[in-house]
Amino acid sequence: MQQWIAEIAYDTTSGAKKATETFYLPTADDVREVISKKGGYVLSIRPYERSPLERLLARSTWWQVQLLRGIQFRSGSTSPGVALWKIIQAETNPRRQNILAPAREALARGLGVIDALKALNIFDHGTLAILAGSERANRLIEGIPHAIQSITQKRKNTRAIMGTMGWLGFDVFSIVTSLWAGKDMVLKWFRDNPPSDPDELEKFTLVVNRLGLTWDILIYLSVATGAFMCWCIFSYWINRGKKDWPTARLVRKIPLIGGYLRDLAFADSMSAAARMLRGLVPINTTLEQSAEASAAPDVTQYWLDTLADLSRGMTLGSALDRAPLRRNERLELAALSDLGQVATVMESIAEMRSHAAKSKHSMIVWIAFAITGVFLAIAFGSAIYALTVMNMSMDSMMGGLMQGAV
């Protein structure tokens, strides 16, 4: 399903008139068929694309929360679908009207409120899973507060990830700029102060060339790391909403970062499952929607395997007790005695995973700080080693560098 913008010509008593209309349909051929039934003639059809400002507004968690709260408040006297329709009709901001247009088209075609919210393409998998599960249990109004909690928690997780990426980016920038600025000064000083003895000059040239090669390797390695990070950020941005793609698989193979993302994924899906159970969503639907809520394949597979075992007649505790959960988490699940405890245990596991993710976040930051120190130590340590090999003093080098800077 996609939103389309069509320019249409209609025959009227006063002659042909051109109009621009929007449609929410699977293909352009479907749009042509609808226009033909209306007695119009297609001039052009193009997929609707949001402007950068509209995309930014659509991804705003504040606006998402306001939209869900509006549905909740208006659903006291009417159905959620009608409540969403009234919100769309009452909107006067042109940009928000454009964002809400796919939902308006979906509701006009008779689709449900969940299909309309999916058409907006602004909510993540976890939020939609909670809403869809609650809607299946005919308790969408009770599920909306849990969806709002999920949005708030994911906003905190996103800030943590962006903080980590920002710190890593600062480290890479510090390394590259320090090495790039220091290389020319240090090597220039060496080359401006060659020994006069021919034998010493040959040794001097070899040491200086090796020093330059060492700094080049460090610089190129730093630049490659920075380019890889930029590519990862760009790839995650253009592939947002997808379950899996090559860059995500590559990032998950990085030991510490992969574990960090897995902990966040488990925390999100466990929280979503607990909130659905609190909203009285049936357990089978909860497991199915929890699988849809996660973009991490191993977490998705965990929920699918649990659902399959539960369908074969296993007890819920035994079905949930499986890898990749840790031993202490599995012990909590193994102690389940009734369904009423499941949400509490899942919330406990989500909290433990969140703490584990915070620990890994701190470790990533400290390792990045240590790598920065190692790179700079290798760079300037190699320069000091070159000085000792050439029997030159550090004072003379610093004095020369200071004079050159002046």
Side-chain angles (χ1 to χ4, degrees):
M1 301 292 285
Q2 186 175 353
Q3 187 179 5
W4 304 86
I5 305 294
E7 291 186 355
I8 310 169
Y10 291 102
D11 286 329
T12 65
T13 55
S14 58
K17 288 189 176 181
K18 188 171 69 172
T20 301
E21 298 182 10
T22 62
F23 299 87
Y24 186 69
L25 293 167
T27 65
D29 292 334
D30 295 321
V31 177
R32 291 188 180 90
E33 184 178 351
V34 171
I35 294 174
S36 178
K37 290 180 180 179
K38 294 171 64 176
Y41 300 92
V42 176
L43 299 179
S44 67
I45 300 176
R46 61 180 175 84
Y48 174 74
E49 295 182 359
R50 291 172 178 163
S51 67
L53 186 58
E54 288 175 1
R55 287 197 295 269
L56 182 63
L57 177 61
R59 301 302 295 181
S60 167
T61 56
W62 178 85
W63 190 63
Q64 293 174 19
V65 169
Q66 295 306 310
L67 179 61
L68 292 179
R69 283 177 177 166
I71 296 174
Q72 182 184 14
F73 294 153
R74 286 173 171 81
S75 296
S77 58
T78 185
S79 67
V82 174
L84 177 58
W85 179 264
K86 289 181 178 179
I87 292 173
I88 296 172
Q89 293 297 102
E91 184 58 63
T92 57
N93 185 293
R95 290 192 178 91
R96 290 180 179 173
Q97 287 176 343
N98 289 337
I99 296 171
L100 293 170
R104 182 183 64 245
E105 296 292 333
L107 293 173
R109 293 181 62 246
L111 298 179
V113 63
I114 298 300
D115 292 320
L117 292 176
K118 289 180 179 179
L120 292 175
N121 195 27
I122 63 175
F123 296 104
D124 57 66
H125 293 292
T127 304
L128 288 174
I130 295 172
L131 294 172
S134 302
E135 195 266 344
R136 287 189 186 182
N138 294 321
R139 294 179 175 273
L140 179 58
I141 306 307
E142 290 86 346
I144 286 178
H146 299 295
I148 291 174
Q149 290 178 11
S150 176
I151 292 173
T152 304
Q153 183 61 44
K154 290 221 173 153
R155 178 171 56 190
K156 295 179 181 177
N157 292 341
T158 301
R159 287 176 179 174
I161 293 176
M162 294 305 296
T164 302
M165 295 301 296
W167 180 259
L168 293 176
F170 174 75
D171 274 350
V172 172
F173 177 78
S174 300
I175 292 171
V176 173
T177 53
S178 299
L179 294 178
W180 218 304
K183 176 188 171 184
D184 291 338
M185 288 193 300
V186 172
L187 293 181
K188 182 178 182 301
W189 183 87
F190 271 106
R191 288 175 179 140
D192 289 344
N193 296 274
S196 55
D197 189 301
D199 294 334
E200 292 292 330
L201 181 60
E202 182 179 355
K203 181 181 179 182
F204 172 85
T205 303
L206 178 62
V207 171
V208 172
N209 289 339
R210 288 179 176 174
L211 177 61
L213 178 62
T214 300
W215 282 50
D216 284 338
I217 292 174
L218 295 176
I219 290 174
Y220 291 144
L221 186 59
S222 302
V223 172
T225 303
F228 174 72
M229 290 176 57
C230 292
W231 167 251
C232 288
I233 294 173
F234 176 73
S235 180
Y236 270 86
W237 173 257
I238 64 174
N239 290 290
R240 63 193 183 280
K242 293 184 179 179
K243 286 284 187 178
D244 197 19
W245 67 94
T247 304
R249 290 195 291 271
L250 179 61
V251 171
R252 285 196 297 268
K253 290 181 180 179
I254 302 175
L256 192 58
I257 295 179
Y260 172 61
L261 295 176
R262 188 180 305 109
D263 286 339
L264 287 179
F266 256 118
D268 287 341
S269 62
M270 282 287 179
S271 295
R275 291 184 181 112
M276 281 187 275
L277 291 175
R278 297 288 188 195
L280 302 180
V281 177
I283 186 63
N284 287 349
T285 303
T286 296
L287 296 177
E288 181 182 346
Q289 293 299 324
S290 296
E292 290 291 327
S294 178
D298 49 351
V299 177
T300 298
Q301 193 60 44
Y302 167 82
W303 293 109
L304 294 177
D305 291 343
T306 300
L307 179 60
D309 285 348
L310 190 65
S311 302
R312 286 196 291 266
M314 291 182 63
T315 62
L316 181 58
S318 300
L320 290 169
D321 181 11
R322 64 175 65 250
L325 290 183
R326 301 189 180 98
R327 184 174 179 274
N328 58 336
E329 296 168 344
R330 298 176 70 170
L331 287 175
E332 288 201 31
L333 290 170
L336 283 175
S337 59
D338 61 77
L339 190 61
Q341 298 176 344
V342 178
T344 302
V345 172
M346 286 183 174
E347 288 172 346
S348 175
I349 294 175
E351 186 176 356
M352 286 190 289
R353 287 285 178 164
S354 296
H355 285 307
K358 290 179 181 178
S359 299
K360 287 185 175 64
H361 173 265
S362 300
M363 193 177 299
I364 290 171
V365 171
W366 281 108
I367 289 176
F369 183 76
I371 291 175
T372 304
V374 169
F375 263 67
L376 297 178
I378 293 174
F380 293 103
S382 60
I384 295 173
Y385 172 75
L387 285 173
T388 59
V389 170
M390 302 312 303
N391 295 321
M392 297 179 180
S393 68
M394 190 68 183
D395 290 340
S396 64
M397 179 181 178
M398 294 303 296
L401 291 177
M402 294 298 292
Q403 290 178 2
V406 173

